[in-house]
Amino acid sequence: MESSVNRKNNQSLFVKRVRVKHSESFFVAVVLALFMLFYYYFTLFTENVDGAWTGVIVIFITFAIDFFIFYLLLKNKLLVGKSVKITLIFLSLSVISYFVTFSGVHRLLLLIMILFGAYLFVKIPVGFQEAKQLFWLYSVIIILILVNTATGKENALETNKFNPNSGGFLLTLLFCASVILAYKHKDINKLPYCLISIITFGLQFVFLSRTALFGIILFLVLLVLFRATKKTASFRFAFLSLFILSLAGVLVAYVYSEIMYPAIGHGKIIIFGKDIFSGRQTIWHFAFNSIKNNFWFGVGSHLNETQFNEGYYELIMNAHNQPIGILAACGIFIFIIFYYALSYFVASLYKSKKANEVKYNKIPLIFMLVITVMSFFDIYFMSLYNILPILLMFCILTGLGRLNYNGASKCK
């Protein structure tokens, strides 16, 4: 009898241990979070150091993370069917693009990271408790990053290492998750998340990032418009909405720089204290010229290099529009397959049609749609400053987006 009781106790202890075991996606998210903290402070403290060896370190770590995520996808047999073809085509085109331009390898590695990372978090979503733990980890890291604005570095907000747009963007992501936790889930203390929502929204008026504030407004509007916390999406809707919106970024930039600016750009149109024509029209104009001359395989890391050598500021080598950035740097083939792959991988969260499987609400999709629109005005998928928090927040919101079979929130 005693041995039987002991066996039952041992079995119950074993079950408890299994229940607290974290998912592989949770482990990857923690690695991304720690890498984010490392990268911000690494670039801050090596600002005046030769970038040759510092760049190699960052590229090596990025490659290692990409390889590890790819290994997890293969190990769990997640790359099957169409996803295998998409992955092989993208990797093959990336190799060709590099050997044509002999530059831009770090950009390609970041595109691989966003694709593989998003797909892993879709296929192995973190649990609700894991999502909450990642939320607080992200919050602590954001505090440690933002504190550098008060470390005595007078130019901290004026360098390309850390600027108001970066701070506003990080707070926007934190706002998204805190709003979902405060609004959606009934079995947790909402007060901390409500306070974080209010604080992150208020700080937007300190950083005065128009793109970040626009992202918050758009996220809230889409949450209400699509009843995102209560409804799920179809694979077709998720894929087409994200893919078409991604391609629309090129059209937005073309209208802004080639049509609006010549017509009305000579006067001042002030929004949040800044003229809407604050320089991007010049960057995009030169970028379109570069695309015309290097349409098929892009220019790698040499975007607008001629203008830079003629005396333009260094920021002109950054497209400040992610769709244009990929099109100009990598060419039309990678531009199409990247956004096709990203749309397909994100939409895979809504692919299941079985009645007895857990469904996911529209929150992860809404988040990626908002990020896509915000990327019309900055580089998000070719910058570690942005790609790491995006992946981490996508992981968190996917974990928070689980629905019961009857459509009610599943918080376990």
Side-chain angles (χ1 to χ4, degrees):
M1 287 293 294
E2 291 182 2
S3 61
S4 176
V5 172
N6 289 335
R7 281 198 298 271
K8 289 182 179 179
N9 290 335
N10 290 334
Q11 288 175 356
S12 67
L13 288 174
F14 176 74
V15 171
K16 288 181 180 179
R17 291 193 189 99
V18 171
R19 285 177 180 172
V20 300
K21 182 179 179 181
H22 286 297
S23 65
E24 290 173 320
S25 287
F26 178 83
F27 177 75
V28 171
V30 171
V31 170
L32 294 176
L34 296 178
F35 184 32
M36 181 171 71
L37 183 62
F38 164 80
Y39 181 67
Y40 272 82
Y41 275 93
F42 181 72
T43 53
L44 184 66
F45 293 136
T46 60
E47 185 176 358
N48 298 318
V49 178
D50 182 10
W53 68 270
T54 57
V56 169
I57 292 175
V58 173
I59 288 176
F60 176 79
I61 298 175
T62 304
F63 174 79
I65 293 176
D66 285 354
F67 183 82
F68 179 63
I69 297 176
F70 184 63
Y71 164 76
L72 291 179
L73 292 173
L74 292 177
K75 173 192 170 187
N76 291 283
K77 299 180 180 179
L78 301 176
L79 288 175
V80 294
K82 194 172 184 178
S83 62
V84 174
K85 297 177 182 178
I86 294 174
T87 300
L88 290 177
I89 292 173
F90 179 78
L91 293 178
S92 300
L93 289 174
S94 297
V95 172
I96 294 173
S97 176
Y98 174 74
F99 280 108
V100 169
T101 63
F102 286 101
S103 65
V105 64
H106 63 293
R107 300 173 186 266
L108 295 172
L109 288 175
L110 292 178
L111 296 183
I112 292 171
M113 179 181 285
I114 189 69
L115 290 181
F116 288 176
Y119 195 51
L120 179 69
F121 296 147
V122 163
K123 288 299 183 179
I124 310 179
V126 298
F128 175 70
Q129 295 300 329
E130 289 179 322
K132 283 205 307 180
Q133 293 169 11
L134 290 172
F135 171 84
W136 289 113
L137 176 61
Y138 179 84
S139 301
V140 171
I141 289 176
I142 294 308
I143 293 173
L144 293 175
I145 290 174
L146 295 185
V147 76
N148 82 71
T149 62
T151 56
K153 290 182 175 292
E154 295 180 358
N155 64 337
L157 290 176
E158 299 173 0
T159 67
N160 61 352
K161 301 296 182 183
F162 188 86
N163 56 51
N165 287 333
S166 297
F169 177 71
L170 294 175
L171 290 170
T172 294
L173 301 191
L174 187 59
F175 174 86
C176 292
S178 61
V179 163
I180 297 304
L181 282 163
Y183 169 71
K184 177 189 172 189
H185 296 284
K186 299 179 180 180
D187 61 340
I188 61 175
N189 182 8
K190 294 186 177 183
L191 181 59
Y193 306 107
C194 290
L195 289 176
I196 292 177
S197 300
I198 295 171
I199 292 171
T200 51
F201 181 78
L203 286 175
Q204 294 295 343
F205 296 94
V206 175
F207 286 95
L208 287 178
S209 171
R210 292 173 294 179
T211 303
L213 187 58
F214 172 71
I216 284 180
I217 296 172
L218 182 61
F219 184 75
L220 293 176
V221 170
L222 294 181
L223 282 183
V224 175
L225 185 64
F226 289 104
R227 298 182 65 194
T229 61
K230 300 181 183 299
K231 297 291 185 179
T232 189
S234 67
F235 172 83
R236 181 184 178 86
F237 172 78
F239 173 80
L240 289 178
S241 60
L242 187 55
F243 184 65
I244 293 174
L245 191 60
S246 300
L247 303 188
V250 176
L251 179 61
V252 169
Y254 183 83
V255 171
Y256 178 91
S257 62
E258 307 301 304
I259 298 177
M260 286 181 60
Y261 181 70
I264 63 175
H266 300 292
K268 287 191 175 183
I269 304 176
I270 307 299
I271 296 180
F272 294 116
K274 298 179 182 178
D275 187 358
I276 64 169
F277 296 104
S278 57
R280 278 181 173 81
Q281 70 279 355
T282 301
I283 296 172
W284 291 348
H285 174 73
F286 286 135
F288 278 119
N289 290 337
S290 177
I291 291 170
K292 292 177 186 177
N293 298 325
N294 304 274
F295 184 72
W296 302 110
F297 296 103
V299 294
S301 298
H302 303 294
L303 178 64
N304 295 336
E305 194 171 55
T306 301
Q307 286 72 33
F308 172 68
N309 293 333
E310 291 176 354
Y312 281 91
Y313 192 61
E314 185 179 3
L315 286 177
I316 200 171
M317 301 178 74
N318 180 332
H320 290 278
N321 174 297
Q322 189 58 77
I324 290 181
I326 296 176
L327 183 58
C330 306
I332 186 64
F333 298 120
I334 287 184
F335 170 76
I336 296 294
I337 193 62
F338 170 78
Y339 280 115
Y340 184 92
L342 181 64
S343 303
Y344 182 86
F345 288 165
V346 172
S348 296
L349 190 68
Y350 307 99
K351 200 170 186 180
S352 175
K353 296 181 180 180
K354 297 180 181 178
N356 63 341
E357 288 189 0
V358 176
K359 300 297 189 295
Y360 292 86
N361 61 31
K362 294 179 182 176
I363 292 172
L365 172 62
I366 293 299
F367 173 74
M368 290 305 296
L369 291 175
V370 170
I371 291 298
T372 299
V373 174
M374 292 175 69
S375 76
F376 292 176
F377 309 101
D378 214 331
I379 292 293
Y380 285 167
F381 300 150
M382 287 180 172
S383 167
L384 275 173
Y385 287 109
N386 298 320
I387 196 173
L388 292 171
I390 287 174
L391 276 175
L392 184 56
M393 191 52 60
F394 181 71
C395 176
I396 293 172
L397 293 178
T398 302
L400 298 177
R402 191 172 302 179
L403 296 173
N404 277 335
Y405 311 127
N406 61 3
S409 299
K410 184 175 182 179
C411 301
K412 296 182 180 179

